[in-house]
């Protein structure tokens, strides 16, 4: 684990209840999902970056976590530029390839929108322990403990699967079977990892059942090792997120850029 990640887990934002961070992320995401325009997404992205120092998430660690999303957003925006809805002045028209003012504006809106929605989620995952989120969902939201704990156990295994993939790759390279046939090697490793995941999941389910995690909630009252409560700072974070969402919508409406998604 890098020092940047450790700082993020000890940042002021890390001490906020996981449920409050989840609700804050949901508020910003829902506001941005209502419209496809560059103004609301840009305002939300700038304001989110402004509060990012409270997470103590360095640029390198942020990029390492967010680059797949940024790459997907870039690909989607590039495709929109080339094949998006034509409107306004036409710059290039060759078969189905059409580049116009409308396609460029739509591509910019999609790029900013994806980044603005993904950034709060990346910060949430970087500053939140999965166990804290499970405690909040089970104790405050009152979700079924069997579902919450099962999801937590599955999430904990994701890191093990990454380690297993790395170890299998190193083992095959040591035996000299990883020098050619990349596609075949990838399919073979994927199938092996799939089998390993099923076996590990079966063992984990049996172990959890033996420890009473599958007991009927009507017969057994579950207790929690760490209480999850909401404090003033949790409400403050939700209010900040609501203010960011409201500011993005107001800015888009005031500039005339607001485009309700159902009217596209």
């Amino acid at each position: 684990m890098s020092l940047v990640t450790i700082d993020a887990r000890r940042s002021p934002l890390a001490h906020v209840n996981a449920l409050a961070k989840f609700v804050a992320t949901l508020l910003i995401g829902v506001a941005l999902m209502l419209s496809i325009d560059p103004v609301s997404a840009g305002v939300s992205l700038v304001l989110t970056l402004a509060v990012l120092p409270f997470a103590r998430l360095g640029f390198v660690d942020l990029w390492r976590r967010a680059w797949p999303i940024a790459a997907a957003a870039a690909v989607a925006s590039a495709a929109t530029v080339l094949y998006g809805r034509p409107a306004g002045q036409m710059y290039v028209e060759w078969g189905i390839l059409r580049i116009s003012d409308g396609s460029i504006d739509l591509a910019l809106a999609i790029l900013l929108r994806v980044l603005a929605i993904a950034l709060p989620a990346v910060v949430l995952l970087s500053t939140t322990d999965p166990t804290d989120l499970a405690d909040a969902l089970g104790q405050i939201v009152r979700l079924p403990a069997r579902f919450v704990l099962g999801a937590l156990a599955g999430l904990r295994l994701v890191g093990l699967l990454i380690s297993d993939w790395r170890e299998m790759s190193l083992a095959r390279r040591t035996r000299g079977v990883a020098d050619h046939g990349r596609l075949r090697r990838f399919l073979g490793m994927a199938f092996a990892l799939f089998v390993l995941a099923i076996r590990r999941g079966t063992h984990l389910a049996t172990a959890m059942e033996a420890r009473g995690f599958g007991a009927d909630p009507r017969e057994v009252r579950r207790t929690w090792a760490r209480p999850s409560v909401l404090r003033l700072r949790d409400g403050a974070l939700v209010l900040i997120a609501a203010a960011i969402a409201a500011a993005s919508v107001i800015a888009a409406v005031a500039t005339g850029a607001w485009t309700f998604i159902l009217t596209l």
Side-chain angles (χ1 to χ4, degrees), residues 130 150-159:
L152 174 62
L155 185 61
R156 288 294 190 185
L157 291 181
V158 173

Side-chain angles (χ1 to χ4, degrees), residues 130-243:
T131 304
D132 294 336
L133 182 58
D135 289 336
L137 293 177
Q139 298 178 48
I140 301 176
V141 186
R142 301 292 183 180
L143 291 181
R146 184 182 301 181
F147 167 77
V148 171
L149 296 176
L152 174 62
L155 185 61
R156 288 294 190 185
L157 291 181
V158 173
L160 293 179
L161 292 178
I162 297 175
S163 299
D164 291 337
W165 181 273
R166 186 181 300 110
E167 292 176 0
M168 286 191 301
S169 178
L170 293 176
R172 295 194 175 206
R173 187 174 298 276
T174 301
R175 293 196 299 268
V177 296
D179 298 331
H180 58 277
R182 292 185 177 182
L183 179 60
R184 183 176 60 183
R185 174 169 57 90
F186 174 81
L187 294 177
M189 290 179 58
F191 181 75
L193 187 66
F194 177 70
V195 174
L196 183 62
I198 293 178
R199 291 178 178 176
R200 182 169 286 153
T202 302
H203 294 160
L204 178 61
T206 303
M208 293 181 67
E209 186 71 24
R211 288 171 173 80
F213 285 97
D216 192 339
R218 295 172 297 182
E219 300 177 358
V220 178
R221 182 178 179 273
R222 179 163 300 282
T223 59
W224 302 87
R226 299 184 299 182
S228 180
V229 295
L230 294 175
R231 298 180 175 87
L232 290 178
R233 60 192 179 194
D234 306 322
L237 178 65
V238 174
L239 290 178
I240 292 174

Side-chain angles (χ1 to χ4, degrees), residues 80-81 85 91 99-109:
T80 304
V81 169
R85 181 181 58 185
Y91 298 102
I99 301 178
S100 64
D101 289 334
S103 63
I104 294 175
D105 293 341
L106 184 59
L108 178 61

Side-chain angles (χ1 to χ4, degrees), residues 103-123:
S103 63
I104 294 175
D105 293 341
L106 184 59
L108 178 61
I110 290 176
L111 177 63
L112 294 176
R113 187 168 179 250
V114 172
L115 294 178
I117 293 175
L119 184 60
V122 171
V123 175

